[in-house]
Amino acid sequence: MEGQSRYQATLYPETLDEVIAADSAVRVIDGFVDSLDLAGLGFSKVEAEATGRPPYDPRDLLKLYIYGYVNQMRSSRRLEREARRNVEVFWLINRVSPVFKTIADFRKDHPEAIAGVCQAFIKFCREQSAFGGEVLAIDGSKIAAVASRKQVITQKKLAERDAAIERKIAEYLAAMDEADAEETPVEPAKTDVAAALAALKAQRAELQQQAEQLVREGLKQKVLTEPEARLMRTPRGHQVAYNAQIAVDAQHDLIVAFDLTNEGSDLQQLHPMARQGKAAVGSDQVIAVADTGYSNGAHGRQCEQDGIKAIVPHAERVNPKGKQYFSRDQFSYDRESDSWSCPAGEVLKLFKTSQTKQKKEYSTRACPSCPLKSQCTKSPRRIIVRSFHEDDREAMHQRAQADPSWMKLRREVAEHPFGTIKWLMGIPRFLVRGLLKAKAELALSITGYNLKRLIAIKGTPALLKALKPCAA
């Protein structure tokens, strides 16, 4: 098979539309964006000013970004190149060629509006009856931020750096004393030492300012170049990252709710994500399934009050002091007397209640003389802690234990979208700084994922028909 000569004159199709397949995803992107009220979502320059240079239509820039995130192209420079060589992009944005700075500024300047676009597509999915509205799977994943671990400061790290600088200052001061003691001191060397000493003192002053800032802001850690990100534990070790949250409808694995937080733990995310997902699918009652990281009794109670049945196992209880000691599961709780019985048969009574931490503490005076004390604790006495919402947490756990298929379903439904999103991102790392802007980038990734899923479920012709007359 041989192609035609590149120098052979040809008649291009009469219209660019003839080059684009009837079932191409770009037609759905075009129809969906044209159906949006961009001004209502918060995009600027929707209507051109009467004077001055006309701006690029925000519809074209939004279409370009959605196309890019669907096709593993997130960089503004890459999108600039595609706008000059990609026939599908020619058709999609009417052959305009914005430079990379214009493209990048559009994403940077409209984070909330872009998140609104993702919500609008979720609403469109619901209008297409693509949600089952019965079971939601909730999951979280860490996505790296634009910062290095070397930019993380903590009180401990600052103290170590300060101590190192103090040692160097002491060494330089000693060197200067030795130089002064010599009969023929070398003046240039002494000047070099003094300059180095001044630089070290400046570094020490900067470290002290950073330590004071941590105390003033009430933070345990801070990333200098990305203040809203946090150092988090990930499968690839500790990384400066954000915690992405999603709620996925179990019928077609479509994402119905999302959020981005800088909390490294999922403990406070169960109720917000379940409530947001329930509102998105429009059901009166839903089941929310999550893993052990979401085991929070207070959130379980809130879910129940909002018509959400939460199924969340808690992690296996172990004694943090060591495996050689009795775990809390070996103590039995008596609800009527509000007390615990230990393996030795002693009763642990309530001795402290904390309203701020929402917990109770129990103990007994029999610990010092107990023959099993060496198997229980090395402290003077064993203390058992019980949360105010322990019953709600246990109820979620028992639902998960009664039917193990729930956890299997959660893995199949919730983990697949994150895998696809990170594949679409290429390198799972945000390109923009700041929580709000990173959330907008997550919204573009989720829009791309949902669009690909919906096309696979409904087909392009059906979606274009639903988008008419806007897509006509």
Side-chain angles (χ1 to χ4, degrees), residues 42-113:
F43 287 97
S44 61
K45 303 177 182 178
V46 177
E47 296 294 335
E49 298 290 341
T51 59
R53 183 179 179 180
Y56 284 99
D57 189 339
R59 295 187 187 278
D60 289 338
L61 295 173
L62 180 58
K63 290 174 184 178
L64 179 61
Y65 261 118
I66 294 177
Y67 178 86
Y69 276 75
V70 167
N71 292 280
Q72 294 183 304
M73 296 181 291
R74 299 186 295 146
S75 163
S76 58
R77 292 181 184 272
R78 174 73 185 276
L79 292 175
E80 178 190 23
R81 292 196 298 270
E82 294 302 314
R84 296 177 179 177
R85 69 186 183 188
N86 189 318
V87 176
E88 286 188 328
V89 177
F90 289 171
W91 180 90
L92 186 61
I93 62 175
N94 303 308
R95 300 200 73 166
V96 296
S97 301
V99 299
F100 75 92
K101 186 68 167 58
T102 300
I103 298 170
D105 286 347
F106 177 80
R107 179 173 54 188
K108 180 188 71 175
D109 295 339
H110 302 95
E112 294 178 335

Side-chain angles (χ1 to χ4, degrees), residues 190-390:
K190 183 177 178 180
T191 304
D192 292 342
V193 171
L197 184 61
L200 287 172
K201 288 182 177 179
Q203 291 180 27
R204 183 177 62 182
E206 183 181 358
L207 290 177
Q208 290 172 349
Q209 290 178 359
Q210 292 174 351
E212 291 171 0
Q213 188 177 12
L214 281 179
V215 174
R216 187 167 55 251
E217 297 177 2
L219 299 175
K220 294 183 179 179
Q221 59 162 283
K222 186 174 183 178
V223 186
L224 295 176
T225 54
E226 177 71 314
E228 292 183 291
R230 295 290 181 268
L231 186 64
M232 300 181 184
R233 184 164 49 192
T234 73
R236 291 176 292 278
H238 284 81
Q239 289 183 327
V240 177
Y242 288 107
N243 188 357
Q245 298 286 320
I246 59 171
V248 187
D249 184 83
Q251 178 165 310
H252 291 302
D253 294 357
L254 286 164
I255 298 173
V256 299
F258 71 98
D259 198 5
L260 191 70
T261 175
N262 56 10
E263 295 181 12
S265 168
D266 298 329
L267 194 61
Q268 301 299 323
Q269 305 304 320
L270 176 62
H271 180 248
M273 293 308 303
R275 181 179 59 185
Q276 188 182 343
K278 177 176 178 287
V281 299
S283 299
D284 295 330
Q285 301 284 332
V286 296
I287 296 173
V289 190
D291 61 21
T292 57
Y294 293 84
S295 181
N296 185 320
H299 282 227
R301 170 63 63 89
Q302 291 173 316
C303 286
E304 186 176 350
Q305 293 171 349
D306 289 342
I308 304 166
K309 182 180 179 181
I311 302 177
V312 186
H314 60 63
E316 181 182 358
R317 293 190 180 100
V318 297
N319 194 317
K321 301 296 183 181
K323 294 183 178 180
Q324 69 272 26
Y325 298 120
F326 295 136
S327 70
R328 206 189 75 162
D329 288 339
Q330 293 173 278
F331 291 71
S332 58
Y333 178 69
D334 182 66
R335 194 178 306 279
E336 293 183 4
S337 62
D338 191 18
S339 63
W340 293 80
S341 296
C342 74
E346 298 292 342
V347 177
L348 285 74
K349 296 182 179 179
L350 176 67
F351 78 94
K352 184 179 179 180
T353 301
S354 174
Q355 295 293 337
T356 56
K357 296 183 178 181
Q358 299 280 291
K359 68 178 183 179
K360 297 179 179 180
E361 296 183 21
Y362 304 79
S363 187
T364 177
R365 297 181 181 274
C367 286
S369 59
C370 179
L372 300 180
K373 185 176 182 300
S374 61
Q375 302 176 51
C376 190
T377 181
K378 62 179 179 181
S379 303
R381 57 178 179 168
R382 177 68 181 266
I383 297 175
I384 296 294
V385 179
R386 178 179 167 85
S387 167
F388 286 1
H389 302 283
E390 188 74 28

